[in-house]
């Protein structure tokens, strides 16, 4: 088959260039672009068959935990994998507690569940210091407005294993009612920390200080994040799946699968999978931290949304849109009059495989708000051939020189970043043309805007990917490792997706893993 590739510059109308206020933790928006995605109506759900020969039987009861409120035994719930004891979490954990894995038992998140009480923007010695520990193999589910919030001064220890990931999911998933287009069936997971943020809710507050806080919108009670502790810890999460999230809490306010607000460098995040979020896959508001081995599949808004002064390094990242659904792969920051607030966003990504597939997006990657952004050793493919690859708003975002006095790291950076799109560069706002973006892109080393991908399984490198020279990212920070190829999955780096992920009509990561529409049975 002949792969016909063309590189064009697409103009955009003035109507698409309007901007709005700062993206909020539950309603990132598109900075003025109003995009309504109407996927093909799903067929009537039918229970998902289970590949197991023996059905799960319910545990005898709920375990005793350290929290005084304890767990509530709410009888059982049944689905295609069997029947489970339901143990409902307290509305607030006031003592450090462990949720053990018990065969035939699920934990239920009923409404908002808080880990500890918010200790404020600074540690004044009165933190509740609650840690919620979740053992490998545990499944937690919710419906409607349920969501988990780890408050400032408290932590989560949710560390699964490749063989037994921790799964946050929806009631419909347990009951086997979901289809390939199911989403938005519960809230999500929020980590609220004390690291610096911008776009303060208090008028006149200095960004990046303890006076600068932000609010989780849609919550009936305040849920704040932000402070001045760059090395703050919200705990650790690894080998975790977050499925079918994004319930609308109020108005247009909906959560992502994973939201971080002011999370500090003491937090550890790795091997995180977001599946079919009705909003963003993940959204990072301020803070300073690293993420390794991140997968976003089927997000209906943005795959990676970064805002309000976040400084984050990421390596090994896969973002895949499901057909006909989704906005951007990356939405970086806001153009809202607060672009000069510091800390200024600085996101650096090495070894990503981005697959645009919505057919309705205005661009696959949008960088704006004077954000500093770096993408190296990565691949961007538009499977449907209608979405421009790169859009960069404002000349300050595109070309501004390094200036430590204003926390400016310099212009956007692309090295060993290949594009397989019918349209590579889109005219943008703030006087930036597609040609201007092409000039900046071509200034990098070993970039190729006329690339033809040879990916297999949708995300595994082929010969063309492996032929691209590698850029050494270790000079950015000690977090980065020197890869032997571009892209997220390649020979020698091809097993990190195995075991802990789930499969869907969009992508199969590991034939031995369970389907996202079903629960694993151990």
């Amino acid at each position: 088959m002949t792969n016909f590739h063309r590189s064009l510059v697409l103009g955009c109308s003035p109507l698409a260039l309007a901007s709005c206020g700062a993206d909020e933790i539950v309603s990132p928006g598109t900075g003025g672009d109003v995009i309504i995605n109407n996927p093909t109506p799903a067929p009537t759900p039918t229970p998902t068959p289970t590949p197991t020969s023996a059905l799960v039987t319910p545990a005898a009861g709920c375990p005793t935990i350290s929290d005084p409120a304890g767990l509530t035994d709410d009888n059982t719930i049944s689905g295609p994998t069997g029947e489970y004891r339901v143990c409902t979490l307290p509305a607030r954990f006031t003592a450090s507690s462990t949720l053990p894995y018990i065969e035939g038992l699920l934990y239920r998140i009923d409404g908002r569940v808080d880990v500890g009480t918010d200790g404020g923007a600074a540690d004044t010695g009165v933190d509740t210091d609650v840690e919620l520990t979740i053992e490998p193999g545990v499944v937690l589910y919710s419906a409607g407005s349920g969501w988990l919030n780890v408050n400032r001064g408290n932590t989560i220890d949710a560390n699964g294993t490749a063989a037994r990931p921790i799964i946050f999911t929806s009631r419909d998933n347990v009951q086997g009612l979901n289809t390939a287009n199911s989403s938005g069936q519960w809230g999500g997971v929020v980590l609220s920390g004390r690291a610096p943020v911008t776009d303060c809710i208090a008028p006149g507050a200095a960004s990046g200080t303890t006076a600068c806080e932000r609010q989780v919108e849609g919550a009936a009670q305040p849920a704040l994040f932000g402070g001045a502790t760059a090395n703050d810890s919200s705990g650790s999460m690894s080998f975790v799946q977050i499925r079918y999230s994004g319930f609308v809490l109020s108005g247009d306010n909906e959560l992502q699968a994973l939201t971080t607000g002011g999370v500090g460098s003491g937090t550890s995040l790795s091997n995180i999978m977001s599946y079919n979020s009705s909003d963003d896959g993940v959204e990072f508001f301020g803070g300073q931290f690293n993420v390794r081995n991140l997968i976003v599949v089927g997000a209906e808004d943005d795959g990676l949304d970064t805002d309000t002064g976040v400084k984050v390094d990421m390596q090994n990242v896969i973002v895949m849109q499901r057909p006909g659904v989704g906005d951007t792969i990356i939405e970086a920051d806001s153009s809202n009059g607060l672009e000069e607030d510091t800390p200024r966003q600085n996101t650096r990504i090495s070894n990503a495989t981005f697959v645009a597939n919505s057919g309705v997006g205005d661009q696959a990657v949008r960088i704006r708000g004077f954000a500093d952004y770096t993408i190296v050793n990565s691949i961007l493919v538009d499977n449907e051939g209608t979405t421009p690859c790169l859009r960069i708003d404002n000349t300050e975002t595109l070309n501004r020189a390094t200036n430590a006095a204003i926390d400016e790291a310099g212009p956007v950076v692309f090295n060993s970043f290949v594009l397989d799109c019918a349209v590579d560069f889109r005219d943008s706002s703030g006087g930036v043309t597609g040609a201007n973006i092409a000039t900046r892109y071509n200034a990098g080393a070993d970039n190729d805007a006329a690339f033809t991908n040879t990916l297999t399984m949708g995300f595994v490198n082929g010969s063309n990917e492996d032929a691209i020279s590698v850029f050494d990212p270790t000079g950015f920070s000690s977090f980065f490792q020197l890869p032997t190829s571009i892209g997220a999955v390649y020979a020698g780096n091809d097993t990190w997706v195995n075991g802990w992920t789930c499969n869907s009509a969009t992508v199969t990561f590991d034939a031995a893993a369970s389907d996202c529409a079903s629960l694993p049975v151990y």
Side-chain angles (χ1 to χ4, degrees):
M1 177 181 295
T2 301
N3 188 323
F4 178 71
H5 184 99
R6 65 187 187 276
S7 176
L8 300 176
V9 173
L10 178 69
C12 65
S13 74
L15 292 176
L17 303 180
S19 63
C20 62
D23 292 344
E24 298 296 345
I25 194 166
V26 292
S27 54
T30 58
D33 296 354
V34 178
I35 299 173
I36 301 175
N37 299 328
N38 295 310
T40 302
T44 301
T46 56
T48 303
T50 173
T52 59
S53 57
L55 296 178
V56 173
T57 57
C62 297
T64 299
I65 62 174
S66 300
D67 191 88
L71 300 168
T72 302
D73 189 332
D74 278 327
N75 299 313
T76 64
I77 187 171
S78 296
T81 51
E83 185 179 5
Y84 299 84
R85 177 69 52 194
V86 176
C87 299
T88 300
L89 305 184
R92 185 183 303 275
F93 285 90
T94 60
S96 295
S97 303
T98 297
L99 302 181
Y101 170 78
I102 297 174
E103 187 175 348
L105 186 150
L106 304 176
Y107 295 96
R108 176 172 171 253
I109 299 171
D110 184 21
R112 171 177 168 176
V113 171
D114 283 286
V115 177
T117 300
D118 179 31
D123 183 357
T124 60
V126 296
D127 284 348
T128 49
D129 291 318
V130 172
E131 180 168 73
L132 177 62
T133 299
I134 305 174
E135 291 187 346
V138 163
V139 176
L140 304 94
Y141 80 91
S142 187
S145 60
W147 58 293
L148 180 71
N149 180 46
V150 181
N151 284 293
R152 292 179 294 188
N154 305 276
T155 55
I156 189 171
D157 181 354
N159 294 295
T161 66
R164 293 197 175 191
I166 293 166
I167 299 174
F168 292 88
T169 192
S170 68
R171 180 184 60 200
D172 282 6
N173 194 193
V174 174
Q175 295 177 316
L177 302 176
N178 283 342
T179 70
N181 286 321
S182 296
S183 67
Q185 297 174 341
W186 69 290
V189 178
V190 177
L191 306 183
S192 299
R194 288 173 167 148
V197 302
T198 63
D199 298 39
C200 323
I201 57 173
S207 60
T209 70
T210 55
C212 187
E213 301 175 290
R214 291 182 59 78
Q215 161 74 16
V216 180
E217 285 191 355
Q221 299 296 323
L224 299 172
F225 62 91
T229 308
N231 64 348
D232 186 50
S233 175
S234 296
S236 59
M237 296 179 68
S238 63
F239 296 103
V240 170
Q241 297 175 24
I242 307 176
R243 306 178 180 178
Y244 305 109
S245 62
F247 186 80
V248 177
L249 296 179
S250 64
D252 293 326
N253 298 323
E254 54 194 282
L255 290 168
Q256 289 67 235
L258 175 65
T259 302
T260 67
V263 163
S265 61
T267 307
S268 177
L269 298 173
S270 65
N271 296 84
I272 307 290
M273 179 178 181
S274 163
Y275 176 71
N276 275 23
S277 169
S278 66
D279 201 58
D280 301 327
V282 297
E283 185 155 18
F284 302 146
F285 289 87
Q288 302 178 20
F289 57 99
N290 303 319
V291 184
R292 192 181 306 281
N293 300 348
L294 174 64
I295 296 175
V296 175
V297 175
E300 293 179 6
D301 193 4
D302 309 311
L304 308 177
D305 199 329
T306 52
D307 211 338
T308 63
V310 66
K311 295 183 183 296
V312 58
D313 291 341
M314 293 182 267
Q315 189 164 24
N316 296 340
V317 178
I318 298 172
V319 180
M320 300 188 73
Q321 293 177 325
R322 69 183 195 263
V325 176
D327 188 6
T328 67
I329 297 290
I330 291 173
E331 182 176 53
D333 228 290
S334 306
S335 296
N336 60 2
L338 300 173
E339 291 88 351
E340 299 291 8
D341 279 5
T342 58
R344 196 182 307 278
Q345 175 179 168
N346 191 356
T347 295
R348 299 180 295 198
I349 300 173
S350 181
N351 296 97
T353 298
F354 299 133
V355 180
N357 205 24
S358 71
V360 295
D362 287 341
Q363 58 276 313
V365 171
R366 185 180 188 183
I367 304 170
R368 55 183 174 163
F370 300 7
D372 297 325
Y373 218 96
T374 298
I375 303 175
V376 300
N377 300 321
S378 296
I379 305 157
L380 172 55
V381 175
D382 174 27
N383 271 349
E384 290 195 345
T386 59
T387 302
C389 273
L390 295 181
R391 172 178 177 175
I392 302 172
D393 295 356
N394 310 113
T395 56
E396 293 88 348
T397 308
L398 185 67
N399 291 323
R400 201 175 214 178
T402 302
N403 186 344
I406 58 172
D407 194 33
E408 172 58 65
V412 290
V413 175
F414 305 117
N415 291 299
S416 300
F417 181 31
V418 299
L419 310 178
D420 186 352
C421 302
V423 179
D424 292 317
F425 310 107
R426 171 190 164 150
D427 285 353
S428 306
S429 63
V432 177
T433 67
N436 297 146
I437 299 170
T439 297
R440 172 55 56 193
Y441 174 85
N442 291 329
D446 299 304
N447 295 322
D448 184 358
F451 186 75
T452 299
N453 88 86
T454 53
L455 296 172
T456 60
M457 299 177 65
F459 63 93
V460 179
N461 277 15
S463 57
N464 287 0
E465 291 75 26
D466 288 340
I468 301 297
S469 297
V470 168
F471 176 85
D472 185 355
T474 60
F476 296 146
S477 78
S478 59
F479 163 76
F480 287 105
Q481 299 171 350
L482 179 62
T484 59
S485 183
I486 71 167
V489 179
Y490 52 87
N493 191 52
D494 53 359
T495 61
W496 68 267
V497 300
N498 292 344
W500 63 277
T501 51
C502 64
N503 303 318
S504 64
T506 302
V507 58
T508 295
F509 290 109
D510 178 2
S514 63
D515 193 277
C516 298
S518 179
L519 300 185
V521 177
Y522 304 118

